[in-house]
mmCIF file with all atom_site columns, all heavy atoms in Angstrom:
data_model
loop_
_atom_site.group_PDB
_atom_site.id
_atom_site.type_symbol
_atom_site.label_atom_id
_atom_site.label_alt_id
_atom_site.label_comp_id
_atom_site.label_asym_id
_atom_site.label_entity_id
_atom_site.label_seq_id
_atom_site.pdbx_PDB_ins_code
_atom_site.Cartn_x
_atom_site.Cartn_y
_atom_site.Cartn_z
_atom_site.occupancy
_atom_site.B_iso_or_equiv
_atom_site.pdbx_formal_charge
_atom_site.auth_seq_id
_atom_site.auth_comp_id
_atom_site.auth_asym_id
_atom_site.auth_atom_id
_atom_site.pdbx_PDB_model_num
ATOM 1   N N   . THR B 1 74 ? 0.758  -9.834  -15.591 1.00 98.00 ? 95  THR B N   1
ATOM 2   C CA  . THR B 1 74 ? 1.469  -10.939 -16.251 1.00 98.00 ? 95  THR B CA  1
ATOM 3   C C   . THR B 1 74 ? 2.968  -10.717 -16.139 1.00 98.00 ? 95  THR B C   1
ATOM 4   O O   . THR B 1 74 ? 3.464  -9.612  -16.354 1.00 98.00 ? 95  THR B O   1
ATOM 5   C CB  . THR B 1 74 ? 1.046  -11.035 -17.738 1.00 98.00 ? 95  THR B CB  1
ATOM 6   O OG1 . THR B 1 74 ? -0.365 -11.288 -17.826 1.00 98.00 ? 95  THR B OG1 1
ATOM 7   C CG2 . THR B 1 74 ? 1.791  -12.181 -18.418 1.00 98.00 ? 95  THR B CG2 1
ATOM 8   N N   . ILE B 1 75 ? 3.649  -11.783 -15.804 1.00 98.00 ? 96  ILE B N   1
ATOM 9   C CA  . ILE B 1 75 ? 5.108  -11.825 -15.849 1.00 98.00 ? 96  ILE B CA  1
ATOM 10  C C   . ILE B 1 75 ? 5.453  -12.786 -16.982 1.00 98.00 ? 96  ILE B C   1
ATOM 11  O O   . ILE B 1 75 ? 5.156  -13.972 -16.892 1.00 98.00 ? 96  ILE B O   1
ATOM 12  C CB  . ILE B 1 75 ? 5.734  -12.281 -14.524 1.00 98.00 ? 96  ILE B CB  1
ATOM 13  C CG1 . ILE B 1 75 ? 5.148  -11.474 -13.355 1.00 98.00 ? 96  ILE B CG1 1
ATOM 14  C CG2 . ILE B 1 75 ? 7.256  -12.125 -14.568 1.00 98.00 ? 96  ILE B CG2 1
ATOM 15  C CD1 . ILE B 1 75 ? 5.566  -11.994 -11.995 1.00 98.00 ? 96  ILE B CD1 1
ATOM 16  N N   . SER B 1 76 ? 6.054  -12.280 -18.032 1.00 98.00 ? 97  SER B N   1
ATOM 17  C CA  . SER B 1 76 ? 6.194  -13.062 -19.268 1.00 98.00 ? 97  SER B CA  1
ATOM 18  C C   . SER B 1 76 ? 7.226  -14.208 -19.116 1.00 98.00 ? 97  SER B C   1
ATOM 19  O O   . SER B 1 76 ? 7.052  -15.273 -19.708 1.00 98.00 ? 97  SER B O   1
ATOM 20  C CB  . SER B 1 76 ? 6.579  -12.184 -20.426 1.00 98.00 ? 97  SER B CB  1
ATOM 21  O OG  . SER B 1 76 ? 7.782  -11.522 -20.175 1.00 98.00 ? 97  SER B OG  1
ATOM 22  N N   . SER B 1 77 ? 8.256  -13.957 -18.342 1.00 97.00 ? 98  SER B N   1
ATOM 23  C CA  . SER B 1 77 ? 9.303  -14.969 -18.133 1.00 97.00 ? 98  SER B CA  1
ATOM 24  C C   . SER B 1 77 ? 9.866  -14.756 -16.738 1.00 97.00 ? 98  SER B C   1
ATOM 25  O O   . SER B 1 77 ? 10.687 -13.867 -16.493 1.00 97.00 ? 98  SER B O   1
ATOM 26  C CB  . SER B 1 77 ? 10.402 -14.846 -19.187 1.00 97.00 ? 98  SER B CB  1
ATOM 27  O OG  . SER B 1 77 ? 11.443 -15.797 -18.948 1.00 97.00 ? 98  SER B OG  1
ATOM 28  N N   . LEU B 1 78 ? 9.393  -15.583 -15.795 1.00 97.00 ? 99  LEU B N   1
ATOM 29  C CA  . LEU B 1 78 ? 9.695  -15.380 -14.388 1.00 97.00 ? 99  LEU B CA  1
ATOM 30  C C   . LEU B 1 78 ? 11.186 -15.465 -14.106 1.00 97.00 ? 99  LEU B C   1
ATOM 31  O O   . LEU B 1 78 ? 11.871 -16.411 -14.609 1.00 97.00 ? 99  LEU B O   1
ATOM 32  C CB  . LEU B 1 78 ? 8.949  -16.440 -13.587 1.00 97.00 ? 99  LEU B CB  1
ATOM 33  C CG  . LEU B 1 78 ? 8.752  -16.221 -12.099 1.00 97.00 ? 99  LEU B CG  1
ATOM 34  C CD1 . LEU B 1 78 ? 7.863  -14.993 -11.836 1.00 97.00 ? 99  LEU B CD1 1
ATOM 35  C CD2 . LEU B 1 78 ? 8.142  -17.441 -11.440 1.00 97.00 ? 99  LEU B CD2 1
ATOM 36  N N   . GLN B 1 79 ? 11.689 -14.489 -13.395 1.00 96.00 ? 100 GLN B N   1
ATOM 37  C CA  . GLN B 1 79 ? 13.109 -14.475 -13.026 1.00 96.00 ? 100 GLN B CA  1
ATOM 38  C C   . GLN B 1 79 ? 13.246 -14.722 -11.515 1.00 96.00 ? 100 GLN B C   1
ATOM 39  O O   . GLN B 1 79 ? 12.302 -14.529 -10.754 1.00 96.00 ? 100 GLN B O   1
ATOM 40  C CB  . GLN B 1 79 ? 13.692 -13.135 -13.423 1.00 96.00 ? 100 GLN B CB  1
ATOM 41  C CG  . GLN B 1 79 ? 13.690 -12.872 -14.895 1.00 96.00 ? 100 GLN B CG  1
ATOM 42  C CD  . GLN B 1 79 ? 14.436 -13.950 -15.681 1.00 96.00 ? 100 GLN B CD  1
ATOM 43  O OE1 . GLN B 1 79 ? 15.633 -14.174 -15.476 1.00 96.00 ? 100 GLN B OE1 1
ATOM 44  N NE2 . GLN B 1 79 ? 13.727 -14.604 -16.587 1.00 96.00 ? 100 GLN B NE2 1
ATOM 45  N N   . PRO B 1 80 ? 14.436 -15.123 -11.071 1.00 94.00 ? 101 PRO B N   1
ATOM 46  C CA  . PRO B 1 80 ? 14.611 -15.449 -9.649  1.00 94.00 ? 101 PRO B CA  1
ATOM 47  C C   . PRO B 1 80 ? 14.252 -14.288 -8.720  1.00 94.00 ? 101 PRO B C   1
ATOM 48  O O   . PRO B 1 80 ? 13.696 -14.529 -7.623  1.00 94.00 ? 101 PRO B O   1
ATOM 49  C CB  . PRO B 1 80 ? 16.128 -15.752 -9.536  1.00 94.00 ? 101 PRO B CB  1
ATOM 50  C CG  . PRO B 1 80 ? 16.497 -16.227 -10.918 1.00 94.00 ? 101 PRO B CG  1
ATOM 51  C CD  . PRO B 1 80 ? 15.652 -15.448 -11.848 1.00 94.00 ? 101 PRO B CD  1
ATOM 52  N N   . GLU B 1 81 ? 14.462 -13.058 -9.163  1.00 96.00 ? 102 GLU B N   1
ATOM 53  C CA  . GLU B 1 81 ? 14.168 -11.926 -8.302  1.00 96.00 ? 102 GLU B CA  1
ATOM 54  C C   . GLU B 1 81 ? 12.657 -11.566 -8.264  1.00 96.00 ? 102 GLU B C   1
ATOM 55  O O   . GLU B 1 81 ? 12.265 -10.667 -7.520  1.00 96.00 ? 102 GLU B O   1
ATOM 56  C CB  . GLU B 1 81 ? 14.964 -10.668 -8.772  1.00 96.00 ? 102 GLU B CB  1
ATOM 57  C CG  . GLU B 1 81 ? 14.684 -10.233 -10.198 1.00 96.00 ? 102 GLU B CG  1
ATOM 58  C CD  . GLU B 1 81 ? 15.650 -10.854 -11.192 1.00 96.00 ? 102 GLU B CD  1
ATOM 59  O OE1 . GLU B 1 81 ? 16.121 -11.994 -10.962 1.00 96.00 ? 102 GLU B OE1 1
ATOM 60  O OE2 . GLU B 1 81 ? 15.933 -10.200 -12.223 1.00 96.00 ? 102 GLU B OE2 1
ATOM 61  N N   . ASP B 1 82 ? 11.860 -12.292 -9.037  1.00 97.00 ? 103 ASP B N   1
ATOM 62  C CA  . ASP B 1 82 ? 10.420 -12.018 -9.056  1.00 97.00 ? 103 ASP B CA  1
ATOM 63  C C   . ASP B 1 82 ? 9.649  -12.807 -8.033  1.00 97.00 ? 103 ASP B C   1
ATOM 64  O O   . ASP B 1 82 ? 8.418  -12.602 -7.903  1.00 97.00 ? 103 ASP B O   1
ATOM 65  C CB  . ASP B 1 82 ? 9.858  -12.355 -10.466 1.00 97.00 ? 103 ASP B CB  1
ATOM 66  C CG  . ASP B 1 82 ? 10.514 -11.560 -11.578 1.00 97.00 ? 103 ASP B CG  1
ATOM 67  O OD1 . ASP B 1 82 ? 11.052 -10.470 -11.290 1.00 97.00 ? 103 ASP B OD1 1
ATOM 68  O OD2 . ASP B 1 82 ? 10.494 -12.036 -12.737 1.00 97.00 ? 103 ASP B OD2 1
ATOM 69  N N   . PHE B 1 83 ? 10.300 -13.692 -7.329  1.00 93.00 ? 104 PHE B N   1
ATOM 70  C CA  . PHE B 1 83 ? 9.601  -14.455 -6.294  1.00 93.00 ? 104 PHE B CA  1
ATOM 71  C C   . PHE B 1 83 ? 9.285  -13.518 -5.134  1.00 93.00 ? 104 PHE B C   1
ATOM 72  O O   . PHE B 1 83 ? 10.188 -12.988 -4.471  1.00 93.00 ? 104 PHE B O   1
ATOM 73  C CB  . PHE B 1 83 ? 10.404 -15.676 -5.890  1.00 93.00 ? 104 PHE B CB  1
ATOM 74  C CG  . PHE B 1 83 ? 10.498 -16.691 -7.014  1.00 93.00 ? 104 PHE B CG  1
ATOM 75  C CD1 . PHE B 1 83 ? 11.579 -16.715 -7.858  1.00 93.00 ? 104 PHE B CD1 1
ATOM 76  C CD2 . PHE B 1 83 ? 9.453  -17.596 -7.194  1.00 93.00 ? 104 PHE B CD2 1
ATOM 77  C CE1 . PHE B 1 83 ? 11.633 -17.637 -8.897  1.00 93.00 ? 104 PHE B CE1 1
ATOM 78  C CE2 . PHE B 1 83 ? 9.508  -18.519 -8.239  1.00 93.00 ? 104 PHE B CE2 1
ATOM 79  C CZ  . PHE B 1 83 ? 10.585 -18.536 -9.097  1.00 93.00 ? 104 PHE B CZ  1
ATOM 80  N N   . ALA B 1 84 ? 7.988  -13.280 -4.949  1.00 98.00 ? 105 ALA B N   1
ATOM 81  C CA  . ALA B 1 84 ? 7.522  -12.232 -4.032  1.00 98.00 ? 105 ALA B CA  1
ATOM 82  C C   . ALA B 1 84 ? 6.004  -12.355 -3.908  1.00 98.00 ? 105 ALA B C   1
ATOM 83  O O   . ALA B 1 84 ? 5.392  -13.261 -4.492  1.00 98.00 ? 105 ALA B O   1
ATOM 84  C CB  . ALA B 1 84 ? 7.883  -10.871 -4.583  1.00 98.00 ? 105 ALA B CB  1
ATOM 85  N N   . THR B 1 85 ? 5.422  -11.443 -3.156  1.00 98.00 ? 106 THR B N   1
ATOM 86  C CA  . THR B 1 85 ? 3.954  -11.352 -3.055  1.00 98.00 ? 106 THR B CA  1
ATOM 87  C C   . THR B 1 85 ? 3.509  -10.123 -3.840  1.00 98.00 ? 106 THR B C   1
ATOM 88  O O   . THR B 1 85 ? 4.142  -9.053  -3.735  1.00 98.00 ? 106 THR B O   1
ATOM 89  C CB  . THR B 1 85 ? 3.481  -11.289 -1.607  1.00 98.00 ? 106 THR B CB  1
ATOM 90  O OG1 . THR B 1 85 ? 3.949  -12.450 -0.917  1.00 98.00 ? 106 THR B OG1 1
ATOM 91  C CG2 . THR B 1 85 ? 1.974  -11.211 -1.526  1.00 98.00 ? 106 THR B CG2 1
ATOM 92  N N   . TYR B 1 86 ? 2.445  -10.268 -4.597  1.00 98.00 ? 107 TYR B N   1
ATOM 93  C CA  . TYR B 1 86 ? 1.949  -9.222  -5.466  1.00 98.00 ? 107 TYR B CA  1
ATOM 94  C C   . TYR B 1 86 ? 0.551  -8.806  -5.005  1.00 98.00 ? 107 TYR B C   1
ATOM 95  O O   . TYR B 1 86 ? -0.274 -9.666  -4.693  1.00 98.00 ? 107 TYR B O   1
ATOM 96  C CB  . TYR B 1 86 ? 1.912  -9.683  -6.921  1.00 98.00 ? 107 TYR B CB  1
ATOM 97  C CG  . TYR B 1 86 ? 3.311  -9.931  -7.458  1.00 98.00 ? 107 TYR B CG  1
ATOM 98  C CD1 . TYR B 1 86 ? 3.962  -11.151 -7.232  1.00 98.00 ? 107 TYR B CD1 1
ATOM 99  C CD2 . TYR B 1 86 ? 4.002  -8.918  -8.106  1.00 98.00 ? 107 TYR B CD2 1
ATOM 100 C CE1 . TYR B 1 86 ? 5.239  -11.357 -7.683  1.00 98.00 ? 107 TYR B CE1 1
ATOM 101 C CE2 . TYR B 1 86 ? 5.300  -9.130  -8.570  1.00 98.00 ? 107 TYR B CE2 1
ATOM 102 C CZ  . TYR B 1 86 ? 5.914  -10.363 -8.352  1.00 98.00 ? 107 TYR B CZ  1
ATOM 103 O OH  . TYR B 1 86 ? 7.205  -10.555 -8.796  1.00 98.00 ? 107 TYR B OH  1
#
Side-chain angles (χ1 to χ4, degrees):
Chain B
T95 300
I96 309 172
S97 60
S98 178
L99 198 65
Q100 297 302 300
E102 59 268 30
D103 301 337
F104 291 95
T106 301
Y107 295 84

